[in-house]
Amino acid sequence: IYVDTDIIVKGNIEELYDLVDDDNELAAKNIRHMSYKSQIFDENFIQKDDPFYIYGAGIFITYLNVWRKKKYGDKMIYLMKENKKKSICCGGTQTIMNMVIKNTKNIPDEWHIYGLSEVKQKNKKNDGKLLHFSGGFKPWKIDYCIKHNIFRDCFIEWYKYFKKYHI
């Protein structure tokens, strides 16, 4: 299980282990406002059976032995180098992962409440099992957020966690 550092896990993470099975190599949350093809600039990297939505790379569940066997790491590094030379895609490593790993499963909504640090998600609920502060306004930039009165509820949640564990 991979979890970004700007995430609070509020649920029992053991529930995620069963989301990957023999039919899927990776489980992650589809990001409904982001199409796969909109992230790829070079048509040579688009296949007709590519998914419509891109999945988020902030939280995912996978089998590392599959990554090693299929050399996913090598493929992603190759694409990152190509992207640096030719600008084949946007979205950083998230899009690169989507280009390489296609056999995926969508995780339940409560396991990836994403976009909590994006202006357009300002009023998003923070009652999921996993809260992802993806976007530009991170909780540790709290002075800016207080000054502009944005994301108050989500940042209060983050601060409770921060205070409890003295991070």
Side-chain angles (χ1 to χ4, degrees):
I1 296 175
Y2 171 81
V3 179
D4 267 357
T5 58
D6 57 353
I7 288 178
I8 296 174
V9 178
K10 294 174 64 177
N12 181 352
I13 203 163
E14 288 180 14
E15 294 175 29
L16 296 173
Y17 283 113
D18 295 330
L19 293 178
V20 177
D21 50 37
D22 293 337
D23 296 329
N24 300 271
E25 298 170 346
L26 184 136
K29 184 74 202 135
N30 286 341
I31 301 176
R32 293 185 188 98
H33 68 275
M34 194 178 298
S35 76
Y36 177 79
K37 291 179 182 173
S38 72
Q39 303 295 298
I40 313 295
F41 304 136
D42 187 332
E43 293 289 326
N44 295 317
F45 291 93
I46 296 177
Q47 300 170 8
K48 68 176 183 160
D49 60 342
D50 282 336
F52 183 77
Y53 294 116
I54 198 167
Y55 58 82
I59 167 76
F60 61 88
I61 306 94
T62 191
Y63 295 119
L64 290 178
N65 57 340
V66 172
W67 280 50
R68 290 181 195 107
K69 182 179 175 183
K70 295 195 174 187
K71 301 185 189 252
Y72 284 155
D74 294 339
K75 292 174 184 178
M76 286 184 232
I77 289 169
Y78 168 77
L79 284 174
M80 285 187 275
K81 288 178 180 177
E82 287 298 300
N83 194 37
K84 189 172 183 179
K85 289 190 272 184
K86 301 178 191 174
S87 190
I88 58 175
C89 67
C90 64
T93 55
Q94 178 169 282
T95 304
I96 299 290
M97 279 182 63
N98 276 263
M99 293 169 73
V100 173
I101 305 172
K102 308 281 187 175
N103 188 14
T104 65
K105 179 179 184 178
N106 190 30
I107 64 173
D109 288 344
E110 69 266 14
W111 275 108
H112 195 186
I113 306 298
Y114 60 89
L116 295 177
S117 292
E118 298 173 17
V119 172
K120 64 185 173 189
Q121 303 291 346
K122 184 172 173 173
N123 298 315
K124 199 162 197 172
K125 294 188 179 207
N126 63 358
D127 57 355
K129 293 180 180 183
L130 188 142
L131 307 178
H132 190 178
F133 291 90
S134 58
F137 301 104
K138 302 296 184 187
W140 46 90
K141 296 179 181 177
I142 194 126
D143 291 342
Y144 178 88
C145 300
I146 290 172
K147 180 179 177 183
H148 296 283
N149 195 27
I150 56 174
F151 315 114
R152 188 175 192 283
D153 293 342
C154 294
F155 287 114
I156 287 171
E157 184 69 35
W158 181 84
Y159 185 73
K160 284 191 289 187
Y161 180 83
F162 175 86
K163 188 175 176 183
K164 179 178 179 182
Y165 294 101
H166 306 285
I167 297 174

